[in-house]
Amino acid sequence: MPATDIFNDAFNQLVTKLQTIPNITVVNDPRNINPPCVFVDAPTIEMETNVVAKMNFNVRVIGSGPGDLKTLQTLLTLADKVRQLQIGLATLNPSITTIGALDYASYELAISTKIAP
């Protein structure tokens, strides 16, 4: 049975919005990471009041290769598509994502949003 509280709803809304980007797989369960893809990790939550919260999402855009120029260009294009969604993208940081014993070039995107019931 899916969770339907305010935090899970905001998480699911972000995943759904990211899934509107054509030609990319968006996953929210680390067991399903299969590069190239976008992975939405667990958010941090800051309560501003008892009813207003700021949710900070760590979204990882994971490339299909090590760190060559072609992979970088693909990652930057994907990051720009996320920016175009106007969903509170704050920072983009290059990173390496290790899956099993393999390293993949990636970008960590910080997305923040405020929620209230």
Side-chain angles (χ1 to χ4, degrees):
M1 177 178 209
T4 57
D5 57 82
I6 190 170
F7 299 132
N8 279 292
D9 288 346
F11 181 82
N12 293 332
Q13 287 175 15
L14 175 63
V15 171
T16 300
K17 187 76 169 177
L18 290 168
Q19 288 172 335
T20 65
I21 299 172
N23 304 318
I24 192 66
T25 302
V26 178
V27 297
N28 58 357
D29 186 330
R31 297 174 294 179
N32 299 329
I33 294 175
N34 186 17
C37 66
V38 173
F39 172 60
V40 183
D41 205 349
T44 59
I45 302 168
E46 300 172 38
M47 297 303 300
E48 293 187 1
T49 69
N50 192 40
V51 294
V52 177
K54 180 178 179 184
M55 293 185 72
N56 301 300
F57 295 93
N58 182 23
V59 175
R60 191 176 294 255
V61 179
I62 305 170
S64 58
D68 61 3
L69 180 60
K70 183 177 179 181
T71 302
L72 173 61
Q73 290 170 334
T74 300
L75 289 171
L76 290 173
T77 297
L78 274 172
D80 188 56
K81 289 181 180 184
V82 172
R83 180 198 58 81
Q84 291 173 28
L85 293 175
Q86 298 180 358
I87 54 176
L89 180 60
T91 61
L92 299 89
N93 293 303
S95 182
I96 298 293
T97 299
T98 303
I99 302 169
L102 300 175
D103 291 335
Y104 295 90
S106 60
Y107 259 84
E108 291 182 19
L109 283 58
I111 297 173
S112 297
T113 186
K114 287 189 180 183
I115 60 169

